[in-house]
Amino acid sequence: MVAAGDEPADERAELSAVALSYVVPAHDSTAVIEDTLRALATRLQGRDAEVIVVENGSHDGTRGLLERLRQTWPYPGVRLVVLRSAKGLGNAYRTGIAASQGARVLLTADDLPFGFDDLDAADDIDPAAHPVVIGSKGHPDSAVDRGGVRLVLSWGFRLLRRVVLGMRTSDPQGTFILAGDWARQVADRLTEPGYLMTTELCHLAELGGVKPVEVPVRLSTRHRDHRSRVRVRDVWQMGVGLARIRSRHASARRPAPARAWRPN
């Protein structure tokens, strides 16, 4: 599966750059992905943007649905790119970042969990000064009531990240709005295949002196009503994953501080 317009993958680099690339992972997403793409196309019309959907290991009809949408895409003002990766959120994000052309790259979920709150907030932030912006459930002004169990687990995850990685960012598993050049530079250093990929991304940012800016968001009703797939034993599994990330990047040379970073 390729871009709407059938550009071969090796010709993607020759396409003109755009202002914004939305990267949307799609795994068993038939219930939400069509509505999400329609919402994105409507919002991004006239914005010089592309939407990159990365199907990753679906077992339902997601692959066929995306191919149909690609072939019949009725929004010429927004480029649609449909790609595939190995199963896993991290694999999908890395694939999307590598294919992106945007001056900014937004990593979201297949159901737009915060609507466009993250994009609206990031529009007021200079990406040259702040290459990493996070739509953060941990921001004190966010409206993300998700119940007691999820709240306890979130605090457990946050404590683990602080202890294992020394991480000061509240929510490295929100949505990310990245300076495109920075994202494409750091993507080759990311190895986590699953949901910890954004935590690894945030860790590398902090190691490099880039302080992520967390912005408030409101959790959509559709996303809030999803039954949580996180279990108490996942706290232990996350601890193992965080230790793996720390070990992998322990000897990494510290890059220049954020104030010295400039887009190409």
Side-chain angles (χ1 to χ4, degrees):
M1 290 187 282
V2 294
D6 294 328
E7 300 95 337
D10 59 0
E11 293 180 7
R12 289 279 300 146
E14 299 178 6
L15 293 174
S16 60
V18 295
L20 178 65
S21 298
Y22 252 89
V23 177
V24 184
H27 176 79
D28 291 347
S29 300
T30 53
V32 297
I33 195 64
E34 189 167 5
D35 287 344
T36 291
L37 294 182
R38 186 181 302 111
L40 284 169
T42 300
R43 173 60 186 264
L44 299 176
Q45 282 288 331
R47 188 170 173 132
D48 186 26
E50 65 180 358
V51 177
I52 302 173
V53 187
V54 187
E55 188 279 321
N56 60 107
S58 297
H59 298 291
D60 64 354
T62 298
R63 188 180 303 178
L65 174 59
L66 288 174
E67 178 63 14
R68 177 176 63 79
L69 292 172
R70 183 189 70 82
Q71 292 179 353
T72 60
W73 186 243
Y75 306 98
V78 179
R79 180 189 302 160
L80 175 65
V81 182
V82 180
L83 303 173
R84 289 174 60 189
S85 75
K87 181 180 177 180
L89 183 67
N91 292 326
Y93 277 156
R94 278 199 306 276
T95 297
I97 292 171
S100 68
Q101 301 289 320
R104 262 185 161 173
V105 177
L106 198 155
L107 309 180
T108 188
D110 63 356
D111 62 349
L112 296 179
F114 310 133
F116 296 103
D117 288 353
D118 44 11
L119 179 61
D120 289 339
D123 279 343
D124 295 328
I125 298 172
D126 180 7
H130 302 287
V132 180
V133 177
I134 301 175
S136 171
K137 299 182 296 296
H139 192 285
D141 293 332
S142 290
V144 291
D145 181 15
R146 305 186 75 185
V149 173
R150 289 187 179 187
L151 182 62
V152 170
L153 288 174
S154 294
W155 275 104
F157 290 159
R158 184 172 181 176
L159 178 62
L160 275 174
R161 292 190 296 264
R162 186 75 176 92
V163 170
V164 178
L165 298 179
M167 183 170 288
R168 298 189 177 277
T169 302
S170 297
D171 183 20
Q173 292 178 284
T175 55
F176 278 67
I177 306 94
L178 308 171
D181 288 339
W182 185 90
R184 289 181 283 270
Q185 288 169 13
V186 79
D188 287 343
R189 300 172 62 193
L190 300 169
T191 59
E192 283 295 314
Y195 72 98
L196 281 178
M197 179 271 199
T198 54
T199 300
E200 184 181 23
L201 173 66
C202 195
H203 181 53
L204 287 175
E206 290 189 354
L207 285 178
V210 173
K211 182 179 179 180
V213 176
E214 298 184 73
V215 297
V217 290
R218 295 165 297 175
L219 195 65
S220 71
T221 302
R222 180 170 64 172
H223 190 87
R224 186 173 60 245
D225 290 344
H226 282 179
R227 182 178 179 181
S228 175
R229 288 173 288 186
V230 179
R231 296 155 294 184
V232 174
R233 69 170 179 266
D234 289 339
V235 176
W236 165 254
Q237 295 173 348
M238 185 180 217
V240 172
L242 294 177
R244 183 172 61 240
I245 291 171
R246 182 182 64 182
S247 175
R248 183 180 302 125
H249 299 293
S251 61
R253 184 162 164 245
R254 190 179 181 88
R259 61 180 177 275
W261 180 86
R262 290 293 184 272
N264 293 334

